[in-house]
Amino acid sequence: MRNVYAMKTTDLCDNFPEKISVAEPIGLRHYGGLTSFYGTIATVKCHEDNSMVRRQLETPGMGRILVVDGGGSLRCALLGDMLAQLATDNGWRGVIVYGLIRDTAAIRYLPLGVMALGSIPLKSEKRNSGTTDVPVRFAGVTFVPGQWLYADEDGVIVSNEMLI
Protein backbone atom coordinates (compact mmCIF):
# COMPACT_ATOMS: atom_id res chain seq x y z
CA MET A 1 0.00 0.00 0.00
CA ARG A 2 2.95 2.32 -0.42
CA ASN A 3 1.69 4.27 -3.48
CA VAL A 4 -2.06 4.23 -3.88
CA TYR A 5 -2.39 7.41 -5.93
CA ALA A 6 -1.10 7.69 -9.50
CA MET A 7 0.49 11.09 -8.99
CA LYS A 8 4.11 12.19 -9.28
CA THR A 9 5.37 15.51 -7.96
CA THR A 10 8.02 15.48 -10.69
CA ASP A 11 5.34 15.41 -13.40
CA LEU A 12 3.37 18.16 -11.67
CA CYS A 13 6.51 20.32 -11.50
CA ASP A 14 7.19 19.71 -15.21
CA ASN A 15 3.60 20.34 -16.31
CA PHE A 16 2.62 23.24 -14.02
CA PRO A 17 5.80 25.14 -13.03
CA GLU A 18 3.97 28.47 -12.77
CA LYS A 19 1.23 27.04 -10.53
CA ILE A 20 3.28 25.39 -7.78
CA SER A 21 5.55 26.12 -4.85
CA VAL A 22 8.14 23.45 -4.04
CA ALA A 23 9.08 22.77 -0.43
CA GLU A 24 12.80 22.85 0.28
CA PRO A 25 14.34 19.47 1.16
CA ILE A 26 14.64 20.05 4.92
CA GLY A 27 14.74 16.37 5.83
CA LEU A 28 11.06 15.43 6.02
CA ARG A 29 10.86 11.62 5.98
CA HIS A 30 7.95 9.31 5.16
CA TYR A 31 6.58 7.24 8.05
CA GLY A 32 3.02 6.33 7.02
CA GLY A 33 1.66 3.56 4.85
CA LEU A 34 1.18 6.00 1.97
CA THR A 35 4.24 7.60 0.44
CA SER A 36 2.28 9.29 -2.34
CA PHE A 37 -0.72 11.38 -1.29
CA TYR A 38 -2.52 14.63 -1.98
CA GLY A 39 -5.41 16.72 -0.70
CA THR A 40 -6.41 20.14 0.52
CA ILE A 41 -4.55 21.65 3.43
CA ALA A 42 -5.69 22.20 7.02
CA THR A 43 -3.17 23.60 9.50
CA VAL A 44 -2.07 23.64 13.12
CA LYS A 45 0.61 25.88 14.59
CA CYS A 46 1.83 24.66 17.98
CA HIS A 47 4.94 24.31 20.08
CA GLU A 48 5.58 21.08 21.98
CA ASP A 49 1.83 20.64 22.63
CA ASN A 50 -0.28 18.43 20.37
CA SER A 51 -3.69 19.36 21.83
CA MET A 52 -4.70 21.24 18.67
CA VAL A 53 -3.41 18.41 16.48
CA ARG A 54 -5.85 16.09 18.25
CA ARG A 55 -8.63 18.66 17.98
CA GLN A 56 -8.16 18.90 14.20
CA LEU A 57 -7.88 15.14 13.67
CA GLU A 58 -11.11 14.59 15.62
CA THR A 59 -12.97 16.42 12.84
CA PRO A 60 -13.95 14.85 9.50
CA GLY A 61 -10.84 14.83 7.32
CA MET A 62 -12.61 14.53 3.95
CA GLY A 63 -9.29 13.55 2.33
CA ARG A 64 -7.42 16.60 3.64
CA ILE A 65 -3.77 16.88 4.69
CA LEU A 66 -3.03 18.30 8.14
CA VAL A 67 0.13 20.43 8.06
CA VAL A 68 1.54 20.87 11.57
CA ASP A 69 4.04 23.65 12.20
CA GLY A 70 5.76 22.51 15.36
CA GLY A 71 8.53 25.05 14.90
CA GLY A 72 10.95 22.27 14.01
CA SER A 73 11.23 21.29 17.68
CA LEU A 74 13.29 18.17 18.28
CA ARG A 75 12.25 17.76 21.94
CA CYS A 76 8.97 15.82 21.79
CA ALA A 77 6.53 14.12 19.41
CA LEU A 78 3.45 15.89 18.06
CA LEU A 79 1.89 12.75 16.52
CA GLY A 80 1.80 9.14 17.64
CA ASP A 81 -0.03 5.96 16.71
CA MET A 82 -3.28 6.90 18.47
CA LEU A 83 -3.58 10.25 16.68
CA ALA A 84 -2.54 8.67 13.38
CA GLN A 85 -5.27 6.04 13.83
CA LEU A 86 -7.74 8.81 14.67
CA ALA A 87 -6.74 10.57 11.45
CA THR A 88 -7.30 7.38 9.46
CA ASP A 89 -10.65 6.70 11.15
CA ASN A 90 -11.85 10.24 10.40
CA GLY A 91 -10.89 10.26 6.72
CA TRP A 92 -7.69 12.32 6.72
CA ARG A 93 -5.30 11.44 3.90
CA GLY A 94 -2.08 12.70 5.46
CA VAL A 95 -0.23 14.58 8.20
CA ILE A 96 2.98 16.53 7.67
CA VAL A 97 4.78 17.54 10.86
CA TYR A 98 7.50 20.18 11.00
CA GLY A 99 8.73 18.47 14.13
CA LEU A 100 8.83 14.92 15.43
CA ILE A 101 6.50 11.92 15.73
CA ARG A 102 6.58 8.64 17.66
CA ASP A 103 5.22 5.09 17.35
CA THR A 104 6.67 4.80 13.87
CA ALA A 105 6.48 0.99 13.81
CA ALA A 106 2.67 1.16 14.06
CA ILE A 107 2.21 4.23 11.84
CA ARG A 108 3.95 2.59 8.87
CA TYR A 109 1.01 0.16 8.52
CA LEU A 110 -1.74 2.79 8.45
CA PRO A 111 -3.25 3.91 5.12
CA LEU A 112 -2.12 7.46 5.84
CA GLY A 113 0.63 9.69 4.49
CA VAL A 114 2.82 10.81 7.39
CA MET A 115 5.96 12.92 7.04
CA ALA A 116 8.09 14.41 9.81
CA LEU A 117 11.64 15.49 10.57
CA GLY A 118 12.24 12.39 12.69
CA SER A 119 11.03 10.41 15.67
CA ILE A 120 11.43 10.47 19.43
CA PRO A 121 9.67 8.40 22.10
CA LEU A 122 8.74 11.39 24.30
CA LYS A 123 5.15 12.64 24.05
CA SER A 124 4.22 16.32 24.03
CA GLU A 125 2.62 18.34 26.78
CA LYS A 126 -1.13 19.00 26.81
CA ARG A 127 -1.72 22.70 27.49
CA ASN A 128 -4.44 23.33 24.88
CA SER A 129 -2.19 25.89 23.24
CA GLY A 130 -1.77 26.52 19.54
CA THR A 131 -3.84 27.76 16.63
CA THR A 132 -5.67 26.11 13.78
CA ASP A 133 -6.54 27.09 10.22
CA VAL A 134 -3.87 29.77 9.87
CA PRO A 135 -1.15 30.02 7.23
CA VAL A 136 2.08 28.37 8.41
CA ARG A 137 5.54 28.64 6.88
CA PHE A 138 8.48 26.25 6.79
CA ALA A 139 10.67 24.65 4.12
CA GLY A 140 10.46 27.90 2.14
CA VAL A 141 6.72 27.47 1.52
CA THR A 142 3.64 29.05 3.06
CA PHE A 143 0.96 26.40 3.61
CA VAL A 144 -2.48 28.02 3.44
CA PRO A 145 -5.66 26.21 4.48
CA GLY A 146 -7.60 25.23 1.37
CA GLN A 147 -4.57 25.05 -0.93
CA TRP A 148 -3.67 21.71 -2.52
CA LEU A 149 -0.68 19.72 -1.27
CA TYR A 150 0.99 16.90 -3.20
CA ALA A 151 3.65 14.66 -1.62
CA ASP A 152 5.65 11.63 -2.69
CA GLU A 153 9.17 10.23 -2.40
CA ASP A 154 10.56 13.18 -4.37
CA GLY A 155 9.13 15.94 -2.21
CA VAL A 156 6.23 18.20 -1.32
CA ILE A 157 4.59 20.79 -3.55
CA VAL A 158 1.70 23.20 -2.98
CA SER A 159 -0.72 24.80 -5.43
CA ASN A 160 -3.71 27.11 -5.24
CA GLU A 161 -5.64 24.71 -7.45
CA MET A 162 -6.17 21.03 -7.99
CA LEU A 163 -3.69 19.82 -10.61
CA ILE A 164 -4.76 16.19 -11.12
Side-chain angles (χ1 to χ4, degrees), residues 45-135:
K45 185 172 180 68
C46 59
H47 183 71
E48 299 178 0
D49 176 354
N50 72 351
S51 303
M52 295 300 154
V53 175
R54 172 178 287 281
R55 187 170 297 163
Q56 280 287 68
L57 295 176
E58 288 174 337
T59 66
M62 300 177 289
R64 291 180 294 166
I65 311 296
L66 182 61
V67 177
V68 179
D69 180 357
S73 172
L74 302 178
R75 299 190 332 188
C76 64
L78 295 175
L79 180 82
D81 61 344
M82 292 190 306
L83 290 185
Q85 184 65 58
L86 181 64
T88 300
D89 293 345
N90 286 331
W92 291 83
R93 190 166 292 150
V95 181
I96 296 180
V97 180
Y98 182 46
L100 302 177
I101 66 168
R102 66 190 215 156
D103 302 310
T104 60
I107 289 172
R108 82 173 49 111
Y109 295 105
L110 294 175
L112 182 71
V114 177
M115 296 178 75
L117 294 175
S119 64
I120 191 170
L122 184 64
K123 68 181 179 179
S124 77
E125 295 184 17
K126 311 291 187 268
R127 299 181 311 268
N128 291 312
S129 64
T131 55
T132 61
D133 298 318
V134 297

Side-chain angles (χ1 to χ4, degrees), residues 16-57:
F16 304 101
E18 71 289 346
K19 294 183 179 184
I20 60 160
S21 297
V22 180
E24 296 168 352
I26 60 170
L28 290 171
R29 295 179 42 204
H30 286 275
Y31 290 95
L34 298 180
T35 56
S36 180
F37 56 98
Y38 67 94
T40 56
I41 295 172
T43 63
V44 169
K45 185 172 180 68
C46 59
H47 183 71
E48 299 178 0
D49 176 354
N50 72 351
S51 303
M52 295 300 154
V53 175
R54 172 178 287 281
R55 187 170 297 163
Q56 280 287 68
L57 295 176

